[in-house]
Amino acid sequence: MERTFQGDIHLTRYLDSQGNLVQSLPDNPELAAWLKHCYRNMVLARALDTKAIALQRTGQLGTYASMLGAEAIDVSIGLCMRDTDVLVPYYRNHASQFLRGTAMEEVLLYWGGDERGNAAAGMNQDFPNCVPIATQALHACGVASAIKIRGEKRCALTVCGDGGTSKGDFMEALNVAGAWQLPVVFVVNNNQWAISVPRAIQCGAQTLAQKAFGAGIRGEQVDGNDAIAMHEVLNRALDRAREGKGPTLIEAMSYRLSDHTTADDATRYRDNDELKAAWEREPIKRLQTFLHTQGWWDEDQEKAWQEEVSQMIQQAVEGYLATPVQPVEAIFDHLYADMPQGLREQRDWAVVKAMQGGSHHES
């Protein structure tokens, strides 16, 4: 029998679950500084996440999607991308967003149900959160197509969960990215749970990264709890895309340490022993241990940073809570370039009712 195709999926890992090196560090004189910067922002991301959940539980924020356990993935994305690149996120990319210029209070604004959080000034050309599953992958290909047509040395990066890889939108995006050799990077946060559906029955393939083979693009796995590995794999993929060498699918192995959202109760479908074991592999403690071992971080630095983080979070929350509520007509104003007459009449009615102090929910 003649073999017409053979492919391999490689897993990149530098740190084991205890923060010990399993291979030599990359030859990068700036690695120590980058890892400390990465660690600080991972701690900040988790603090923001914790506060957001507390705000939701007290009725001060809407339904919220936690990023607990994905800090190494999301922070690395935010730090490795260039300002000229375009982020096309899904709903767990809060850290990438604030690292790329969106104020933390604007991140909270979005989850508070305020559409201004979808169009923050610091977003530049980045897209807003995408809640429909996997449609953002096609949006990223549209962005990448424009970049290629213009001959620009930049790229698009998009993220989805493991469940998103089962959607037709995702597979179509891979196909067009490969057929047109687009400057785009797909990152799959394989956190093992698509709401209540475990990875084991989500897909019959041994890896999700091998879905790249059918599209003719590069596919690889990375330990998503290992910031060093994320740095190396992301930079390699982003550089390839910017230089016109084609797209990459990165499957980042992690674990969702939280409920799917604050509207979910993961204890109904997930075994507590599994969750306990996953906490032993979590990314922040792993990197902290490594930094201590290398002499790049100590208790004094940790204490000082925790205090600074607390102040930053408090300032962001105060800014969010102090933001004036938008007028009722704002829900109409950004739907059409030229507002249809019927919608204009509804807008005028809503404005009058608001001036009269009437309920927005009256028919």
Side-chain angles (χ1 to χ4, degrees):
M1 181 182 296
E2 182 180 355
R3 175 176 287 171
T4 58
F5 173 80
Q6 182 177 5
D8 295 306
I9 295 295
H10 298 282
L11 170 67
T12 301
R13 175 184 291 130
Y14 287 90
L15 299 177
D16 66 16
S17 61
Q18 303 305 308
N20 301 309
L21 277 172
V22 296
Q23 62 169 311
S24 299
L25 286 173
D27 184 15
N28 182 350
E30 299 179 356
L31 183 62
W34 188 90
L35 287 176
K36 287 189 288 184
H37 187 45
C38 184
Y39 174 75
R40 287 192 290 266
N41 281 290
M42 287 166 63
V43 171
L44 177 59
R46 183 166 293 184
L48 178 65
D49 198 71
T50 301
K51 188 62 177 181
I53 293 172
L55 289 169
Q56 190 279 331
R57 298 306 191 205
T58 54
Q60 299 176 92
L61 201 71
T63 300
Y64 174 76
S66 171
M67 60 173 292
L68 188 64
E71 294 88 356
I73 298 171
D74 209 45
V75 169
S76 295
I77 289 171
L79 294 180
C80 289
M81 292 181 70
R82 295 177 183 169
D83 291 343
T84 52
D85 296 330
V86 179
L87 175 66
V88 187
Y90 79 142
Y91 45 80
R92 293 191 205 278
N93 295 135
H94 327 315
S96 295
Q97 289 169 327
F98 73 66
L99 284 168
R100 289 182 55 74
T102 302
M104 286 189 290
E105 65 188 68
E106 292 172 324
V107 172
L108 294 174
L109 207 62
Y110 168 84
W111 293 101
D114 192 317
E115 286 297 321
R116 286 172 291 185
N118 261 333
M123 290 171 63
N124 296 317
Q125 291 189 323
D126 288 353
F127 277 42
N129 291 327
C130 186
V131 176
I133 306 301
T135 55
Q136 70 274 17
L138 285 167
H139 302 162
C141 288
V143 172
S145 296
I147 290 171
K148 183 170 183 176
I149 289 169
R150 295 169 181 167
E152 299 167 341
K153 285 198 172 184
R154 57 186 188 133
C155 66
L157 181 147
T158 187
V159 192
C160 72
D162 45 296
T165 67
S166 296
K167 291 292 297 293
D169 309 72
F170 179 80
M171 300 304 294
E172 292 162 13
L174 290 188
N175 190 67
V176 73
W180 294 353
Q181 286 295 286
L182 297 177
V184 59
V185 176
F186 302 92
V187 178
V188 177
N189 173 10
N190 183 355
N191 62 26
Q192 311 303 319
W193 286 94
I195 310 183
S196 60
V197 180
R199 162 64 181 90
I201 61 174
Q202 181 69 227
C203 175
Q206 186 175 351
T207 72
L208 299 179
Q210 69 199 67
K211 295 192 177 195
F213 291 154
I217 70 177
R218 180 183 177 88
E220 59 182 306
Q221 276 190 337
V222 59
D223 188 335
N225 291 330
D226 178 352
I228 304 174
M230 286 301 308
H231 175 267
E232 289 300 299
V233 169
L234 279 169
N235 277 334
R236 183 165 61 238
L238 290 165
D239 285 343
R240 281 174 52 84
R242 295 185 195 111
E243 294 300 321
K245 297 180 180 178
T248 302
L249 169 59
I250 299 169
E251 179 186 4
M253 309 298 291
S254 68
Y255 192 90
R256 195 189 79 214
L257 297 172
S258 65
D259 296 328
H260 177 69
T261 69
T262 50
D264 176 43
D265 178 8
T267 63
R268 298 174 60 188
Y269 54 81
R270 189 168 63 183
D271 184 77
N272 189 59
D273 289 339
E274 177 184 318
L275 178 61
K276 184 178 179 181
W279 270 104
E280 296 298 318
R281 305 189 299 272
E282 67 99 357
I284 293 182
K285 181 63 177 177
R286 184 186 302 200
L287 182 54
Q288 182 193 60
T289 299
F290 174 73
L291 293 174
H292 274 280
T293 301
Q294 298 297 309
W296 297 342
W297 195 253
D298 57 37
E299 293 182 4
D300 290 339
Q301 289 173 293
E302 181 73 25
K303 181 180 178 180
W305 180 241
Q306 291 287 354
E307 291 174 354
E308 187 172 346
V309 163
S310 180
Q311 294 173 5
M312 293 167 68
I313 297 298
Q314 184 62 30
Q315 183 177 358
V317 170
E318 289 175 357
Y320 158 65
L321 295 176
T323 302
V325 175
Q326 285 185 294
V328 65
E329 60 266 29
I331 65 174
F332 300 93
D333 288 343
H334 305 289
L335 298 177
Y336 295 92
D338 298 307
M339 189 178 297
Q341 181 60 32
L343 196 63
R344 185 176 298 280
E345 292 172 0
Q346 294 178 47
R347 181 187 187 277
D348 293 342
W349 176 88
V351 170
V352 171
K353 294 296 290 185
M355 291 176 64
Q356 295 173 346
S359 170
H360 298 165
H361 300 288
E362 292 183 30
S363 59

